[in-house]
Amino acid sequence: MKVGMVLLGALTIAMWFGISSVSKKKEVLTNQYTELEAEIMQKELAFNDILTLYDKVEGQIGDILERERLVQQHNADQLDKRNPQKIFKQISMIDDLIFRSKQDLRQLEDEAKSANLKLGLFEKRIAGLQAELSTRSETIASLKEELSKKDESLAKLIVEQDSLHSTIHAQLENLEQRSLEVKQLTAQNNELNKSYLAIGTYEDLKAKGVVMKEGGFLGLFGKAWKLQEEADEAAFMTVDRRNLQRLRIEASMLDLVSSHPEGSYQILPGESEAEKVLEITDPERFWKVSKYLVISKKI
């Protein structure tokens, strides 16, 4: 009878662990599916933005071609007092379209790269737009030179406009360069301030591979928990340490598993017995040893 009870107890425990294991696997699969779904949606949105920008550039190049034909038609006609102004207006619009198209193409390239999409065919189409835009730029430059020889007033307008455009373009490029430098510095600063946070009971943290036990007398007694050095970053929440001064945690007790200097933080009582507050009093010292913050809690 006793043997039967023991076997029944063992079977019950085994079944409980089996159910618990299935439940954890189901939770992991659900989380993976949710992350995959979010990633697909993000890529779809990025692709739609890229496609919209591509269509915009393609339309602008079509507009350039149409205005280019008008300029060539005026050039073929006998120039009179009215034609130079008409031609100059079209040339001015073409110059503006070419400049905007170059800016949009640069943005298109950047977005295609940052979206991390495998768009081999699409990249060829972007290269085709760049080649077409380069051809249009060369064509309009030749037309300007040809028209300038035929009419002095038009030549003067073209020179003044080209000079103005060169100044504006140089200023814009300078601003873009400064903007790029600011973005790079911001990205570097964000990376430097990136930290990793994990909160849970010892059992939860161990299951995620965040902590492990070591030491102890004869490997049996007095073992201490410590941070798993090769822990998967996916088990942590990425945080910006500049925005992490106080953490309110539902727990009756808190303990820091990761290494942080004494005096750089304090654990305070919360608004109830079931809440504790971690306050980082000296952020520079607190994060000096480790960029990981692992908190074990007892509920």
Side-chain angles (χ1 to χ4, degrees), residues 199 245-256 266-279 295-299:
I199 304 173
Q245 281 82 42
R246 288 172 65 89
L247 268 175
R248 292 186 175 274
I249 302 168
E250 289 186 13
S252 60
M253 228 176 131
L254 290 184
D255 184 29
L256 268 59
Q266 55 184 349
I267 297 174
L268 305 171
E271 295 179 355
S272 69
E273 292 183 0
E275 183 183 72
K276 289 291 181 286
V277 177
L278 171 66
E279 183 177 56
I295 303 171
S296 68
K297 66 177 184 177
K298 288 184 179 179
I299 302 173

Side-chain angles (χ1 to χ4, degrees), residues 5 9-10 75 78 82-83 100-103 113 133 160 165 180 194-195 218 234-235 239 242 257-258 265:
M5 290 296 290
N75 185 33
Q78 185 68 29
R82 292 170 299 171
N83 280 343
R100 278 191 286 147
S101 296
K102 285 180 179 178
Q103 297 293 101
K113 288 176 183 176
L133 192 58
E160 288 176 354
H165 279 182
L180 179 61
K194 184 189 292 184
S195 295
L218 297 179
V239 295
R242 293 168 296 187
V257 180
S258 47
Y265 68 93

Side-chain angles (χ1 to χ4, degrees), residues 19 74 78 104 110 138 173-174 182 184 215 239 274 276 280:
I19 293 169
H74 284 304
Q78 185 68 29
D104 290 338
D110 292 341
E138 292 172 4
E173 285 181 1
N174 187 38
V182 169
Q184 289 173 340
V239 295
K276 289 291 181 286
I280 300 172

